[in-house]
Amino acid sequence: MRGEPERPIGTHTRKRITISDVSDALGLTKSTVSRALNDYPDISDSTRLRVRRMAENMGYRPLSHAQAIKTGLTKSLGLVIQLADHDSHRPFLAEFLAGLSQGASAQGWTLTIAASDSPAHTIETMQTMIGDRKVDGFILPRAQVDDERVAFLRAAGVPFVLFGRSPDPTGCAWFDVLGEDAMRDAVAHLAGLGHRHIGFINGGARYTYSRLRHEGFLAAMEGAGLSFDASLMCDEAVTIQAGKDAGHRILMAKTPPTAIICAVDMAALGVYRAAADLGVAIGTDLSVISYDGIPEGAYATPQLSTFAVDFTESGKRLSTLLIRRIRGEAPEDLRETVRPVFLNRGSAGPPAKSSRQLAQTIARHTK
């Protein structure tokens, strides 16, 4: 019998749901529906929610290429991971990337990731991503004192958001965790336990967090009425080995500290090794407080007291801020900071020995 050609069993055609279908179902104009789906600020939260629910229930999906032509946006956020950064391979990078992805996908955006092995390669990679129209803006982790990425993106007129702060805030949006407040709180906590000689091991000087944490430490020492000794302070310790070397130098001082504050946890774990070499017990002979909240700190003996950062939530906030920046909000209105959470664990306690007694313990052990 002749007629229409047979279709294979299990196949069918389905009409693609358009924005017109969604607007008809809601009794709203196409313009209102479009603006609601794209989070324009002139659309109320209730209308935006109604539109999103109806679009989801009807199975509406915008055509990405058509949307890019119409809006000029690819709806993709860019991230260039700098492999030279000291934390580029740390476990919390996975949490950070998960937060960025979640924050982007919650608004129908994607995350495009690339890697570079030098600052110059980072700029080249950004140029390529912009030229190929792969991204609409960039998230910049580990803000730097003299940041070539910021200078390049400012000149190119490309939106960006810093994870950290910039000494020159011109055109900068950011999300940051208040590391300087953590250093102040660490000094106050140790002073409250009875410590009077406190050392400080900072991170990489090219990062803005180092400057801020250094300033926070000094301000807190002054506020607590404590003097600081330059021989009890070290910089550029971002690895376990560097922390161990810095710990050795500080503990071998004529008047060693009874407590050390570290700007990053990896350096603090190095101090643990230095203390073991010198016969110093962490948590009694020497208190240690650090910053980051990396998983390894919980497995140290004793557990490392540290200020923890929620890297997943940080990633979500950065994605949200960058999308708002791309949509035209002023960078001055897109600056957020939060405080880290203190994990008060076993590495910080009242001093069991004075600095003189600690020096004697070390001298006996190293004979």
Side-chain angles (χ1 to χ4, degrees):
M1 183 174 177
R2 303 186 65 169
E4 294 184 1
E6 293 184 2
R7 288 183 187 149
I9 295 173
T11 66
H12 63 281
T13 60
R14 179 181 178 185
K15 176 179 176 290
R16 189 180 72 83
I17 301 299
T18 67
I19 200 166
S20 295
D21 297 322
V22 179
S23 65
D24 289 344
L26 289 166
L28 300 172
T29 66
K30 288 172 58 177
S31 174
T32 298
V33 171
S34 176
R35 296 176 76 81
L37 290 172
N38 286 285
D39 291 324
Y40 278 78
D42 60 335
I43 303 299
S44 69
D45 290 341
S46 60
T47 298
R48 186 180 295 110
L49 182 60
R50 282 180 58 213
V51 170
R52 285 191 175 280
R53 284 179 174 171
M54 180 61 73
E56 183 177 349
N57 290 338
M58 295 179 69
Y60 169 73
R61 296 291 183 272
L63 291 175
S64 59
H65 65 276
Q67 194 170 54
I69 293 171
K70 184 176 180 180
T71 66
L73 299 177
T74 62
K75 298 192 75 174
S76 179
L77 310 181
L79 172 70
V80 180
I81 298 173
Q82 301 186 124
L83 300 177
D85 283 353
H86 63 82
D87 53 5
S88 62
H89 301 289
R90 299 307 311 147
F92 56 67
L93 179 61
E95 299 174 15
F96 182 56
L97 293 178
L100 291 174
S101 297
Q102 291 168 22
S105 63
Q107 300 191 53
W109 289 58
T110 59
L111 178 67
T112 299
I113 303 173
S116 76
D117 54 13
S118 70
H121 189 209
T122 294
I123 302 301
E124 292 172 5
T125 302
M126 287 180 168
Q127 286 176 320
T128 300
M129 295 170 79
I130 294 167
D132 292 345
R133 297 193 63 189
K134 290 183 177 179
V135 299
D136 300 308
F138 288 91
I139 291 143
L140 305 182
R142 283 297 187 214
Q144 299 171 23
V145 176
D146 184 14
D147 205 318
E148 295 179 21
R149 303 168 302 172
V150 170
F152 167 71
L153 294 174
R154 275 183 185 143
V158 175
F160 63 91
V161 173
L162 286 160
F163 189 12
R165 282 161 281 171
S166 174
D168 177 5
T170 306
C172 291
W174 61 60
F175 176 85
D176 199 13
V177 186
L178 296 170
E180 65 271 34
D181 284 8
M183 300 299 102
R184 293 189 186 101
D185 290 348
V187 170
H189 182 75
L190 291 169
L193 290 172
H195 293 275
R196 293 297 175 262
H197 292 85
I198 302 174
F200 180 62
I201 299 177
N202 206 355
R206 68 190 180 100
Y207 300 106
T208 56
Y209 78 77
S210 291
R211 176 181 293 183
L212 292 167
R213 292 176 202 178
H214 181 261
E215 292 171 353
F217 172 78
L218 294 181
M221 291 289 284
E222 182 178 356
L226 302 178
S227 59
F228 60 90
D229 183 345
S231 68
L232 306 184
M233 300 173 68
C234 292
D235 295 317
E236 300 293 340
V238 295
T239 65
I240 289 179
Q241 184 60 51
K244 179 180 178 181
D245 293 343
H248 268 286
R249 288 197 297 273
I250 289 176
L251 290 171
M252 292 298 291
K254 183 177 180 180
T255 306
T258 59
I260 296 176
I261 297 171
C262 297
V264 297
D265 281 354
M266 295 302 285
L269 296 178
V271 171
Y272 272 55
R273 296 187 181 184
D277 290 346
L278 299 174
V280 173
I282 298 291
T284 52
D285 296 338
L286 177 71
S287 288
V288 178
I289 295 180
S290 188
Y291 180 101
D292 269 335
I294 64 173
E296 293 94 327
Y299 297 103
T301 303
Q303 290 186 330
L304 177 62
S305 295
T306 183
F307 287 85
V309 177
D310 187 335
F311 288 99
T312 300
E313 184 61 28
S314 296
K316 290 179 183 178
R317 293 307 309 150
L318 285 159
S319 287
T320 299
L321 290 171
L322 180 53
I323 291 170
R324 290 170 60 188
R325 178 74 186 101
I326 291 168
R327 287 176 170 152
E329 291 191 45
E332 295 79 12
D333 297 329
L334 302 172
R335 295 171 180 170
E336 296 182 3
T337 57
V338 296
R339 292 176 61 90
V341 176
F342 184 44
L343 304 180
N344 187 11
R345 300 191 290 207
S347 66
K353 298 176 180 177
S354 67
S355 291
R356 177 177 294 182
Q357 291 170 328
L358 181 58
Q360 293 170 347
T361 297
I362 294 171
R364 286 195 298 269
H365 193 83
T366 54
K367 279 184 178 180

